[in-house]
Amino acid sequence: MNNDIDKTSVPLACNKDYLCLLSWNIHDSNDSLIGSKLTDESFLSTIRQCDVLCLQETKRSIKIPGFRCLNSNRPDSRSGGLCIGVKHELRSLITPINTKNFSPDIQAVRLSRKLNNLPSDTILVNVYDSPVNSSYKQKLIENGSYEDTIESLGNFLTSHRGNNNLIICGDFNARTGTENSLCVEEETMQ
């Protein structure tokens, strides 16, 4: 199993110094070799180290022991799927935000400012943007219901940001083509 994960820590006011946030495209909660990742000890060991999870490509609703899991699945599709999970002891400090009017590939919660002693709440957004040539996007284009995920994300942020802090994570399937994928400091950025 690929254990390349991104972890970001931010100050936490509840019983420890940092909130551990994990964003991970799990490429299906079931694996053809190991079966359900939700019963795999290696997978669960990584998950248990974190307070808040943003999982992409779950492909179905999932439950993780010790976490409140908020699932968002595409209607009539077995691809995609998002889950924001929060440890049970922190569940009273998050509030789901309705994203249904924007995209099935965007999910968001409001994290209470009590989590990190900030002057305002934090909006956490979990995104899965399918590759442009995926069968899912091609099907939407063919039936005239395609909406660009990044544009929908922009619309969501415009309507919900306010004075809140913001964390956006997910799998954007970004491609650089022939461009350099490294960030290079330019004179104008100094």
Side-chain angles (χ1 to χ4, degrees), residues 4-183:
D4 294 331
I5 58 175
D6 296 327
K7 288 186 180 180
T8 304
S9 295
V10 295
L12 176 65
C14 305
N15 301 325
K16 62 181 185 177
D17 295 329
Y18 293 94
L19 174 74
C20 181
L21 169 66
L22 172 125
S23 178
W24 192 0
N25 182 325
I26 64 171
H27 301 287
D28 202 342
S29 54
N30 285 321
D31 183 271
S32 60
L33 297 176
I34 64 169
S36 175
K37 291 178 183 174
L38 305 176
T39 59
D40 178 70
E41 193 51 44
S42 175
F43 178 83
L44 291 174
S45 173
T46 300
I47 295 289
R48 284 188 207 111
Q49 296 174 42
C50 301
D51 300 304
V52 179
L53 314 168
C54 289
L55 305 177
Q56 302 88 37
E57 277 198 283
T58 57
K59 303 204 178 178
R60 63 188 53 80
S61 292
I62 62 173
K63 293 180 182 178
I64 301 171
F67 286 82
R68 175 185 181 200
C69 291
L70 305 168
N71 293 282
S72 177
N73 296 299
R74 295 171 172 167
D76 303 321
S77 177
R78 194 172 124 45
S79 67
L82 297 167
C83 175
I84 294 179
V86 62
K87 281 196 172 168
H88 281 300
E89 58 267 26
L90 301 175
R91 69 181 178 259
S92 66
L93 299 173
I94 70 157
T95 306
I97 298 173
N98 186 348
T99 58
K100 301 252 187 265
N101 293 333
F102 296 95
S103 171
D105 296 322
I106 298 171
Q107 181 183 39
V109 296
R110 181 178 309 280
L111 303 172
S112 169
R113 61 189 172 88
K114 295 176 185 176
L115 276 171
N116 50 16
N117 277 336
L118 291 173
S120 60
D121 293 344
T122 299
I123 293 179
L124 171 64
V125 184
N126 188 18
V127 179
Y128 177 66
D129 188 18
S130 295
V132 70
N133 60 350
S134 69
S135 60
Y136 174 74
K137 280 200 176 172
Q138 293 305 309
K139 181 175 136 185
L140 294 177
I141 290 168
E142 288 171 12
N143 70 22
S145 61
Y146 173 75
E147 293 180 32
D148 184 75
T149 305
I150 304 305
E151 187 176 316
S152 295
L153 175 62
N155 293 335
F156 170 79
L157 296 175
T158 298
S159 67
H160 285 81
R161 174 84 195 271
N163 292 326
N164 297 293
N165 300 297
L166 182 63
I167 300 172
I168 302 172
C169 57
D171 181 353
F172 293 86
N173 278 297
R175 302 289 185 267
T176 60
T178 60
E179 298 294 319
N180 188 346
S181 63
L182 300 174
C183 293

